[in-house]
Every structure is written in C-alpha cells, then in structure tokens.
Amino acid sequence: MDRTSLVFTRLLVPRFSSLLSFSFYSSRKTCGSQRNQYRNYRPSWPSLFGRPATDASIVATNKEFLIKDMGVCENKLKNPRTRLIMTKESGVLEERVDWLRERLELKENEIKKITQRHPDILDLRPDTNLAAKLDYFQTRLLLDDESLRKIILRNPQILRRNTLDGIEPKLKWLQKRLDLDDEALSKMIQRFPAILENSIPDKLEPTLDWIQHRLDLSDSGLSKIIQRMPNLSSCSVDTNLGLKLDWLQQRLDLDCAAVSGMIQQYPPILGCSIPNKLAPTLDWIQQRLSLTNDTLAKFVQRLPALFGYSVDANLEPTLNFYIEALGDKSEALILLTQNPVLFGVSLEKRLKPRLEEARVAGLDIDAGCLSRIGKYTNKQWIASVDFQTRQLPPEQ
C-alpha cells in the first residue's frame, strides 16, 4: 500500500467505523427519547472528514437572523438543538420560516412568536418532515386551514413529536378511554392541544382515573367533563385538583356527591384559583346577599356558573340593576336569592333593553316583571308584553 492510500485509510476507517456503530445503535429498540434524538441525523462530508461542518461566518449570520429578525432570546440559542440550527447553510432558516408562514397563513408576529418559543422547529425540513406532519394533523383531526393554524400557534412544539409513535397512540387511547368519535376528539384537541404532550402512563391515565374516582363519575360523566375542560388532564392531583375539591367541601359544608354535582354542572370551577376567584366570589355573594353558610351552599349549587362571573364586571352591576329597578334593596335580595339564574343573563343585551320595553309599554315593574325579563326567551317575552299590555285599563 503506497503512502497516499495509507493516509486515506487511516483517515476514513475510524470515521466509517463510528458511522456504522451509530447506525447499529439507532436501529436497536431503544426508548423513544433516545431513538428520536438520532433519527434525523445526517452526517455531512465535512464532518466525516474531520473538518468543521460550518464556518463561523454562517453561524454568525444565522444567529443575527434569529435574534434581530425573529426576536429570539439569546439564551434560547444556548440550547443544544438551537445551536445545531445555526450551522445550517446560509438562507436555509429564512426559507423554512417563509415556508411555515405560507403553509399556515401566519402573520409576521405569529411566525415570530412560534420561532421565539421554539426556534428548534427550524431544524425540521419542510419536504421530509413538516409537510407530512401538518397533513397528518389536518386529516386525522378533521381540521380546516384556520383550525390547523390555531393549533400550531397554541402548541408549536407538537411539530417536533413523532406522529406514528408519539401522537397517534395518544389519540387512539383518548378515543377509547373517553368513548369519542373523530369529531368529538378533534374538538377536544382544539380546545387544549397540549393534552398531546402528556404521557399516557405517567399523566393521562392516572389523572383521569383519579378524577373519575374522586367525583364518583360514570365513564360518560368523565368524558363530558374532560371534553369540556381537557386541560384538567394536565393539572396536578395533589397540589391542584385535590386541594380545590377539599376546600369547596369544607367552605360550603358539602359531601362528595354535592361537590361532584357542582363540578359536573360547571367543570371550569376546577380551573379557578382559590385565593383569586373561588374565595372572593363566595365571600361577595354571602356578604351582598346576606346569606347564611347553609343558604350560600344551596344558592351556589343551583348556579355553579357563578364562579365564572366577574364580581366587578358582572355580579355587582347586575345586583345594582335589580335594586334600582325595584327601588327596594330587600325586595331585590329576596328575588335574587330565590332565583340565582337571574345573575346569569346579560345586563346589556337582555336586562336593560327589556326593562326599557316594559316601561315604554306601561307595565308595572315589580318582582314578577323582572323575573320574566330575566328568564323568558325572546318569543315568550314578546308574548308576555303583548298580553300584559292588553290587560291594562284603557286610557281616559
């Protein structure tokens, strides 16, 4: 063997040996995180021969593009995955940004938001990765272009997940566990795309089992709650859900069945903060309506959605409306205490316009009239005003 051949052999053999070892390793049955870490590895000729894959000028250009043009925080660029994308050939990152913007019809601030949160997405090739994933999500979840755009904006990291090994098994598990058809599954995922980030054995399964057991729910009852509030699947049982349920039971002196009934009527209760929402709302209702602990519990059980109302923007103005309309605070409190649902109607769209109609028609504004104003459908209200008007004595 001549000297040139000997040098060439010494240079290449270790490189190819390393490459073959890598191929053997990546083909073994390893855990998902290990396998995904190496699946898209493509050795370049420069790295194969021991020369730097990218010169410093290209790294500097890509870094400038990410920081100045896309607004990526410099600390994000210290992540190993992000450092890798800065070695891409000049113009590659710009092309991938343009492709995502066009495919998802993103505004400038939207594509920047995605890039700022997850710059490593730009490591994925549109032709061999992104295009297929977006088509999969759109087809599997029955999404139109706008719905697909919203899902990616809310949870862009989903693009890094393997659809075959990571996403599809979770979709099938959720469908089976919650007895969902494709349309119901799609609606749930659109409400909370991050549910697909949760592990089945470590998060989804134990959390759903706990909720079902704690609230004594049937399979259909659990399904209804999770469809309405899929983010509950990501909540901590010990430091979130369990604490709220225990607090509600103690504050309202309710048994498990009563609390379960409230949650089934209005699942968003479990998304409310105790100090910022649950406690101040109950304190306001009890104080302003002069309720005992017992009457407070009964009142809230009849309309658990009260926890979703703002005290300043909804409850207080609505209470004042009834007091001013009746001209008697005590009478207004009695009306509302007996009819919690009267807090659940729009002040601007229903209460005020109908009160004006009643006054124009010459009707007596009493508790019965205000009850009809709040409870009646449009058809019922029109018929009621017509009937009451015909009962009025003729003008002299």
Side-chain angles (χ1 to χ4, degrees), residues 8 20 27 69-70 81 113 121 143 147 205 236 250 254 263 302 305 326 340 344 374 381 383:
F8 190 76
L20 289 173
S27 65
D69 294 1
M70 304 308 296
R81 283 182 176 174
K113 182 179 179 181
I121 287 177
L143 303 173
S147 298
E205 189 168 25
S236 167
Q250 182 178 4
L254 299 175
I263 302 302
R302 293 177 64 186
L326 289 172
W381 172 246

Side-chain angles (χ1 to χ4, degrees), residues 22-88:
F22 167 78
S23 299
F24 172 75
Y25 171 78
S26 62
S27 65
R28 292 175 58 192
K29 200 167 185 180
T30 61
C31 68
S33 60
Q34 289 175 315
R35 189 165 61 252
N36 291 336
Q37 181 179 0
Y38 296 104
R39 176 170 289 153
N40 294 325
Y41 178 79
R42 295 292 185 274
S44 62
W45 279 106
S47 64
L48 192 63
F49 281 89
R51 293 185 279 107
T54 310
D55 60 37
S57 63
I58 292 181
V59 172
T61 299
N62 286 334
K63 183 177 181 180
E64 183 179 10
F65 168 73
L66 291 171
I67 294 176
K68 291 188 177 181
D69 294 1
M70 304 308 296
V72 177
C73 175
E74 191 163 0
N75 286 336
K76 284 272 188 179
L77 303 183
K78 297 178 182 179
N79 183 289
R81 283 182 176 174
T82 310
R83 286 204 303 266
L84 181 62
I85 69 172
M86 289 192 293
T87 66
K88 301 295 180 185

Side-chain angles (χ1 to χ4, degrees), residues 205-247:
E205 189 168 25
T207 302
L208 296 191
D209 288 347
W210 184 91
I211 292 173
Q212 185 169 19
H213 181 264
R214 180 67 171 77
L215 297 177
D216 193 23
L217 301 171
S218 63
D219 287 345
S220 62
L222 174 68
S223 180
K224 289 176 182 177
I225 286 180
I226 299 302
Q227 286 183 71
R228 191 170 175 185
M229 284 285 291
N231 58 307
L232 294 179
S233 64
S234 293
C235 293
S236 167
V237 167
D238 297 325
T239 62
N240 190 322
L241 302 180
L243 291 179
K244 289 175 183 175
L245 292 173
D246 292 341
W247 185 88

